[in-house]
Amino acid sequence: MSEKITITFPDGNKKEVDKGINGLELASQISKSLAKESIAIKINNDIKDISLPINSDASVAILKRDSEEALELIRHDCAHVMAEAVQELYPGTQVTIGPAIENGFYYDFARDEPFTVSDLPKIEKKMHDIIQRNKNFIREVWSKEESIKHFKDKGENYKVELINDLPDNEEISIYKQGDWLDLCRGPHMVSTKQIGKAFKLMKVAGAYWRGDSSNAMLTRIYGTAWATEKDLEQHLLQIEEAEKRDHRKLGREMNLFHFQEEAPGAVFWHPKGWTLFQSLINYMRNRQDKAGYVETNTPDMMDKSLWETSGHWDKFSDMMFRTEAKDDKIYAIKPMNCPGAVEIFKQGLKSYRDLPFLLSEFGKVHRYEPSGALHGLMRVRAFTQDDAHIFCTEDQITQESKTVCDLILSIYKDFGFDNVRIKFSDRPEKRVGEDSIWDKAEAALMQAMEATGLEYTLNPGEGAFYGPKLEFVLRDAIGRDWQCGTLQVDLNLPGRLGANYIGEDGNKKIPVMLHRALFGSLERFTGILIEHYAGHLPFWLSPLQAVVATITSDTDEYAYEVQKALVSEGIRTEIDTRNEKIGYKIREHSNSKVPAIIAVGKKEAQDKTVSVRRIGSSETKTFKLEDIVNSLSKEAKSPIEKK
RNA sequence: GCCGCAGUAACUCAGGGGUAGAGUAACUCAUUGGUAAUGAGUAAGCCGGCAGUUCGAAUCUGCCCUGUGGCACCA
C-alpha cells in the first residue's frame, strides 16, 4: 500500500491521498471540469506548477484561469511566448529576463538593431500562432554545467551570466514550450493555449542590463495581458482616460502654462496658471502660519564654498547650475533651501528656549535634471518648494515629526486625497556623518512614525545623503501614486554649517534640523491636481470661476453689471459678449472647464436674474443676481476659510 | 545621460525628391440668436536648426536642439 498524505482544501475539507500526487490528478479526483480548467496550484500559499508532485501534508488550492492569482501566470507565460516569437522571427536575438509586472509583462532582448513599434504587430501575430500550438510548459531541472553549456552553445551570454550568478545550492529549472526553452524559476500554467487572446504589445523601450546604467542597453518590449478580452478592453480604456487627463494637454487647453525650447524644464506660467499657483501658495501660507511657522526668503545664488561646506557640491555638483560675474567667484544657483535656512538660524544667539524654531520658505530651486527625466510639470529643472526647516532638540524630534505628519495628512484631505501611504527611507550608501549619528536619526524618526500610529513601508537605502526620511505618497482619482511630501531628520548639516544654540546647561549645542515639504514641488503638485480633477478644478482653485455669456447684444449692459457684481465679491469672472450663438458660447466655455456659465438674455435683464449652468451638468437654473453672487462667493472660499 | 519615436499654420494632424495641404482657431462681412459648433469670405508657414547628397531637399544622409515612451537618476 502506498503512503498517504493529507490535503487540506481552502474550505477546510481534508482529503487523504497518495503521496506524490500532483495537482492535476487531485483536480480530476474532484471533477473532470475542474481538471480541465485548472492552470496551477497553490501549495501552502505558494503558487506552483500543477504537475508538481505533493509529497507531504499540505493545504492546497487549485487555481483556475479566472482566479486572481492566475493573472500573474498568464502574464509571465505571455512573456515566454513573446520571447519565443521574437527568436523565431529574429534569429540571433538574445533573451535576458522577462517578468510579469503590473498590468502585463515585458521581456528584455539583446539585439544589434533595436526593435521599433512597427515590429510589434508581426511579433503579436506570431505569439497568437504559438499560443494556438497549445504546447505544454514542461519543467526540467538541469545541472549548472549542463545549463551553462546549453546557453553558451546558443550564444545566450546573458543567460550564462544569470546562471553563473545563481547560488550553488539553488536548483536550476528550465521551462520548455515545444522546442523553445528558457531558464526560469516558474511557475507556469499547463499549456500556452491557456494564455488566451487578451493581450497586446504596447511599446518598446531601452533598458539597462540589470538596471545598471554602466551596463549595455537592451531592447525591452512591454505588453499588457488579461484574463478576458473585456478586461483588456477596460485597461485600454483606462489608458485613454489617463491621456485625456494629461496635464500637458489640459494646461494648453486651459491656457495655464507653456514650455519652450529656450528654457527646457522651466515653466512659463500664464495668468490663469499663475492664479492657480498663487491660490496654492496662499492656502499653504495660511496653514503654515497657523501651525507656527515664520516665513523667510533666502538668496537664489550663493558662493560655491557654502555648497562645499554643506556637502551638496561633493554629491550633486554635476546637477547644479552655476554662474559667474566679473569677480572670480563661482556662484551656485540654489538646488535646495536648507543652507540658506541654516544661515538665517545662525543670525543672533539662539537659546534652547527658541526651539523648536520653524522657518518656512517658498523657495525656487534649480536642478540640472537629466534631460530624459523631464516631463511636463511633473519633473522640471526649476521649481518652487513649500519648504520648511524645523530646528529643534533631539528630544523634540518625535513630537515635531508627528505634528508635521498630521499637518500633511490634513492638507492632502483638503484636496480630496484621502488615500496616503508613507515610506520610510533609511541610510543610503553615499552619505555624510558618522554611523552613530545615523543610528540616532533613524531611531528618532522611527519612533516618531510609531507615535503617529500611521502605517508605513520600509524603503531601505533610499534616504537623503544627510539623513533618513519619510515620503508621503498620495493616490489620485484614477489610482495613480504620486510622491509629494517629505520629512527628513538631519543631524549632519546643522553641524557642518556651524549652527548652534545655548542649552539649558549653558553649553553650546548643535540643533537637529527637520527638513519638510508638504506639496513638495508646487509645479508638480499643480500638475497632479490638474490630472486628479481632470481639469475640473474645485471652484476655489479654478483660475476662472465664472463667465457671463450674453444671448443678444441688447443685454451687454446688464451682463457687465452682472460681471461687476461678481468681481466685486472676488469671484474671478470674464464676460463673453462676442457675436456668437449661446450654444456656441456654452460649448466653448464648457470645453475650457469654467465651473459656472452665466447666461443673460432679455428675460434676465428684465427680471435682474441670471441663468446658470454648472460644469458637468446640462441643467440650467435661474437665480436672482444677488443670490448667485452670495452663493458663489461662499463657494469660492478655500477650505481654511470654510472651517 | 542611454535606447526608440516625433518635430509641417496659433492648435490637431495629413503629405513626402520638382507651385505647401485639411479641420479648428484668428480676422472681415452678413446674421441678434435661449443652453455643447450660424453662414460666406480673407489672411496665415525658413516643413525645429546646421551641414551634406542632388540640377533641385520639407522629403534622403549625418550632427545638434526640443519634445515624447521607457531605462537610469531624483539632495
Side-chain angles (χ1 to χ4, degrees), chain A residues 48-69:
Chain A
K48 301 282 187 193
D49 293 341
I50 200 154
S51 56
L52 189 81
I54 307 167
N55 290 321
S56 57
D57 292 355
S59 67
V60 157
I62 288 166
L63 298 182
K64 297 204 290 185
R65 196 174 173 282
D66 56 8
S67 69
E68 213 172 292
E69 290 101 330

Side-chain angles (χ1 to χ4, degrees), chain A residues 469-514:
Chain A
K469 63 180 176 186
L470 300 182
E471 280 158 348
F472 295 81
V473 180
L474 50 85
R475 182 157 289 178
D476 75 6
I478 56 170
R480 294 172 304 177
D481 288 339
W482 303 97
Q483 189 177 307
C484 294
T486 177
L487 167 65
Q488 303 163 7
V489 177
D490 182 356
L491 302 182
N492 286 303
L493 285 190
R496 289 174 79 95
L497 292 167
N500 55 55
Y501 66 95
I502 310 297
E504 244 170 305
D505 57 5
N507 292 323
K508 278 191 179 176
K509 295 215 162 80
I510 297 173
V512 177
M513 179 160 71
L514 304 181

Side-chain angles (χ1 to χ4, degrees), chain A residues 372-499:
Chain A
L374 301 180
H375 179 96
L377 294 175
M378 303 304 188
R379 191 81 182 269
V380 285
R381 286 184 175 154
F383 61 99
T384 312
Q385 291 179 315
D386 57 338
D387 210 352
H389 297 90
I390 299 171
F391 295 86
C392 63
T393 66
E394 283 178 23
D395 293 343
Q396 291 168 335
I397 295 176
T398 302
Q399 180 56 45
E400 289 307 308
S401 298
K402 187 175 178 307
T403 307
V404 168
C405 289
D406 292 344
L407 182 63
I408 289 192
L409 296 180
S410 146
I411 283 170
Y412 288 174
K413 238 184 207 115
D414 280 346
F415 292 88
F417 299 114
D418 294 323
N419 189 338
V420 182
R421 292 179 308 116
I422 303 174
K423 294 195 289 185
F424 183 104
S425 302
D426 60 14
R427 69 191 78 184
E429 261 179 53
K430 195 167 176 185
R431 57 182 183 262
V432 296
E434 302 287 318
D435 280 357
S436 59
I437 291 182
W438 276 89
D439 291 341
K440 220 191 280 183
E442 285 169 1
L445 188 57
M446 187 65 85
Q447 203 187 338
M449 198 61 247
E450 302 287 352
T452 63
L454 299 165
E455 296 215 2
Y456 62 93
T457 53
L458 280 177
N459 203 17
E462 297 295 319
F465 74 87
Y466 46 72
K469 63 180 176 186
L470 300 182
E471 280 158 348
F472 295 81
V473 180
L474 50 85
R475 182 157 289 178
D476 75 6
I478 56 170
R480 294 172 304 177
D481 288 339
W482 303 97
Q483 189 177 307
C484 294
T486 177
L487 167 65
Q488 303 163 7
V489 177
D490 182 356
L491 302 182
N492 286 303
L493 285 190
R496 289 174 79 95
L497 292 167

Side-chain angles (χ1 to χ4, degrees), chain A residues 26 35 103 225 260 350 438 447 503 543 552 617:
Chain A
L26 191 61
N103 301 331
Q260 65 187 50
K350 294 289 183 298
W438 276 89
Q447 203 187 338
T552 79
S617 158

